[in-house]
Amino acid sequence: MALVTLNPSRLMWARLAALVFTCVAFSVASHGGGISGGMADWSVFCWAFSFAGTLLVLLVELLGLQSRAPVSWSNFPITFACYATLLCLSASIIFPLYFLKGDRSHSEARDHRIAATVFSCLATVAYFVEVSLARARPGEVAGYMATVPGLLKVCETFVACVIFVFISDPISYDNHPALKWCMAVYCICFVISAAIVVLCVGECTGCLPFPFARFLSAYALLAVVMYLTATIIWPVFKFDSRNSRSSSRPDYCRTSHGLCPWDKLVAVAVLTALNFLIYLADLAYSARLVFVTV
């Protein structure tokens, strides 16, 4: 098998672009956007966190400190870039939904919000390019997080985090045991997937008392089965008129700011199905992938 050959200049330019775009996004939104509230804090956090992490990666690589880093440098940069892609993508959707939707004024604050949204989208593209450049190709020797199953683990944990946000505000899983099972599925799979990411980034997979590759395949199969049950159960007990009073979208949702509670229930159903498909793809790749952690 051939060794991974990355183009450092392209990776560097992608990271520099992401650094600039995220910096502009949170600067413009914070100083002139006139935003406040939980969703504003989340959007600014997405941009600021991505900016800080990218700056750290650039400094480590420019100073040649990879060997002294307390994490696996074959896994950490691409793992962070994948999370940053998803964070900026979520901010690119949430920010205009809460701060531009229905706003037809021609104010300076609105112009700042539009600019923040545009640079958030550009940052998302820049991070996606970085992930595309850094991921392992077939036949290459790479860290697990640079492979497709590794990147899917990042997506699995991120989607689960978004589900937690929607399912807990307001709490929508405590009125039936079947819905509590769905919550258990989200929690169990999130904890195990997050643990796998931490083990790979921390280079601790060799300390496990069982073969890591077999564990990944077994876990992927278990997660597929669990998420399949949640994908079926959640819509049945939330949108079937025989089990729920919220079988149709309330009228007040048309004029509500952002997402109303019914919209969040739909979002949970869609994200559950999405995570099921991601775990299914993870199972397919894990069953046939041969990788070497370096």
Side-chain angles (χ1 to χ4, degrees):
M1 295 192 297
L3 292 175
V4 179
T5 55
L6 301 178
N7 190 322
S9 61
R10 290 184 179 180
L11 269 177
M12 187 68 69
W13 281 113
R15 288 168 180 161
L16 286 173
L19 190 74
V20 172
F21 295 151
T22 51
C23 181
V24 173
F26 75 76
S27 298
V28 169
S30 301
H31 304 284
I35 57 176
S36 61
M39 292 304 166
D41 294 339
W42 168 253
S43 298
V44 173
F45 166 78
C46 290
W47 300 322
F49 178 79
S50 301
F51 169 83
T54 303
L55 181 61
L56 175 63
V57 171
L58 284 171
L59 289 176
V60 169
E61 296 201 343
L62 287 174
L63 297 176
L65 301 176
Q66 297 93 322
S67 60
R68 298 185 180 182
V71 295
S72 167
W73 208 253
S74 62
N75 286 308
F76 176 77
I78 190 169
T79 302
F80 176 81
C82 191
Y83 274 118
T85 303
L86 296 172
L87 285 170
C88 290
L89 176 61
S90 68
S92 300
I93 297 172
I94 291 174
F95 189 79
L97 183 63
Y98 278 83
F99 299 104
L100 284 176
K101 179 184 177 182
D103 183 7
R104 299 182 179 179
S105 63
H106 297 282
S107 62
E108 185 177 349
R110 182 173 181 270
D111 293 338
H112 280 75
R113 295 174 184 179
I114 293 174
T117 302
V118 171
F119 279 97
S120 180
C121 294
L122 292 174
T124 303
V125 174
Y127 280 119
F128 180 79
V129 170
E130 180 184 348
V131 172
S132 299
L133 291 173
R135 73 180 182 87
R137 274 26 179 215
E140 293 177 339
V141 178
Y144 176 74
M145 297 307 300
T147 64
V148 174
L151 296 175
L152 290 175
K153 292 290 187 302
V154 174
C155 296
E156 292 159 6
T157 56
F158 186 84
V159 172
C161 287
V162 178
I163 290 176
F164 292 147
V165 173
F166 288 145
I167 205 173
S168 59
D169 183 27
I171 296 175
S172 54
Y173 60 86
D174 60 347
N175 56 348
H176 196 281
L179 298 176
K180 293 180 180 179
W181 162 252
C182 293
M183 186 61 177
V185 170
Y186 305 143
C187 292
I188 293 171
C189 293
F190 168 78
V191 169
I192 298 177
S193 293
I196 291 172
V197 173
V198 171
L199 287 172
C200 291
V201 173
E203 290 189 314
C204 300
T205 57
C207 301
L208 298 176
F210 44 79
F212 186 57
R214 292 184 181 179
F215 167 73
L216 292 174
S217 298
Y219 164 62
L221 177 60
L222 176 64
V224 166
V225 174
M226 293 178 68
Y227 257 93
L228 176 60
T229 63
T231 302
I232 297 172
I233 290 173
W234 184 265
V236 168
F237 284 89
K238 279 299 179 183
F239 304 116
D240 192 324
S241 58
R242 293 170 295 181
N243 299 302
S244 174
R245 297 178 181 178
S246 56
S247 57
S248 59
R249 192 171 190 255
D251 293 334
Y252 70 85
C253 287
R254 299 176 183 176
T255 57
S256 64
H257 183 64
L259 296 177
C260 69
W262 193 88
D263 291 336
K264 292 180 179 180
L265 296 179
V266 175
V268 171
V270 172
L271 291 172
T272 301
L274 175 61
N275 233 8
F276 165 70
L277 295 176
I278 295 175
Y279 275 108
L280 190 62
D282 189 359
L283 175 62
Y285 275 100
S286 297
R288 66 182 181 84
L289 180 68
V290 177
F291 66 90
V292 178
T293 302
V294 294

